[in-house]
Amino acid sequence: MVSNPTESFARPRVAAGVLFFDELGRVMMVVPTYKDYLEIPGGYMEHGETPTQAVAREVKEELGITPPIGRLLVVDWAPTPSEGDKQLFVFDGGVLDQHWLDRIVLDQDELAGYGFHEVAEVGTVTIPRLTRRIAQGDRARRKGTTLYLESGEVVA
């Protein structure tokens, strides 16, 4: 019997999120109904979706809006003991002005609210690896680059 070599291949869960900012440069954090920490808008990809399609779908489902999604900021390889291998794409959502903010309608099953936070202070409202991912995404946005991360840390 020949073993299947693909059995050893990584099969990560793949998610896509977005960094939205307000006019003061603060990042949007959403309040999930199913987690005890804040998150960025986004979620897991479905079969057949690209990362950009997934993040646009998630934003529409969670926030009820369809703002343009910008360029890729970071890709993070971030396995966890409970979920195994994970690959996360984070995109630039730009500034959500009052036009978009007035149109937000939260999916009450998923989100209890949202707010904007100073990037330097998100560590007080979320988990460390997401804090690092947000900080690196903000850095990539300001520098006009894209970064590869492992558990939120830049890999040289």
Side-chain angles (χ1 to χ4, degrees):
M1 183 186 298
V2 176
S3 68
N4 182 350
T6 64
E7 290 176 9
S8 67
F9 292 178
R11 291 180 184 86
R13 291 182 182 203
V14 183
V18 61
L19 298 183
F20 288 123
F21 295 86
D22 68 6
E23 293 175 347
L24 299 175
R26 299 175 302 177
V27 67
M28 175 186 270
M29 301 292 291
V30 295
V31 183
T33 57
Y34 52 91
K35 292 182 179 177
D36 60 357
Y37 57 89
L38 302 189
E39 265 286 0
I40 60 173
Y44 285 110
M45 290 174 50
E46 295 178 356
H47 289 287
E49 279 186 319
T50 67
T52 53
Q53 290 169 335
V55 76
R57 174 186 52 77
E58 286 286 342
V59 168
K60 182 170 176 52
E61 288 174 6
E62 292 177 355
L63 301 174
I65 57 175
T66 57
I69 303 296
R71 65 183 187 77
L72 179 65
L73 297 174
V74 300
V75 176
D76 192 5
W77 181 258
T80 66
S82 63
E83 295 181 303
D85 291 338
K86 289 175 68 173
Q87 184 177 27
L88 304 118
F89 294 86
V90 179
F91 294 89
D92 184 0
V95 173
L96 286 182
D97 61 19
Q98 203 59 48
H99 165 83
W100 290 112
L101 295 175
D102 289 343
R103 287 161 178 74
I104 291 176
V105 177
L106 298 177
D107 177 344
Q108 298 297 315
D109 291 333
E110 287 196 46
L111 299 180
Y114 75 91
F116 289 90
H117 301 265
E118 296 292 338
V119 171
E121 297 175 6
V122 296
T124 64
V125 295
T126 195
I127 57 176
R129 68 178 178 272
L130 180 55
T131 298
R132 294 188 299 268
R133 191 176 308 128
I134 291 168
Q136 295 299 342
D138 180 57
R139 178 176 158 228
R141 182 175 187 259
R142 287 183 283 107
K143 291 190 172 205
T145 191
T146 301
L147 298 171
Y148 170 69
L149 311 175
E150 291 183 3
S151 297
E153 302 282 353
V154 175
V155 176

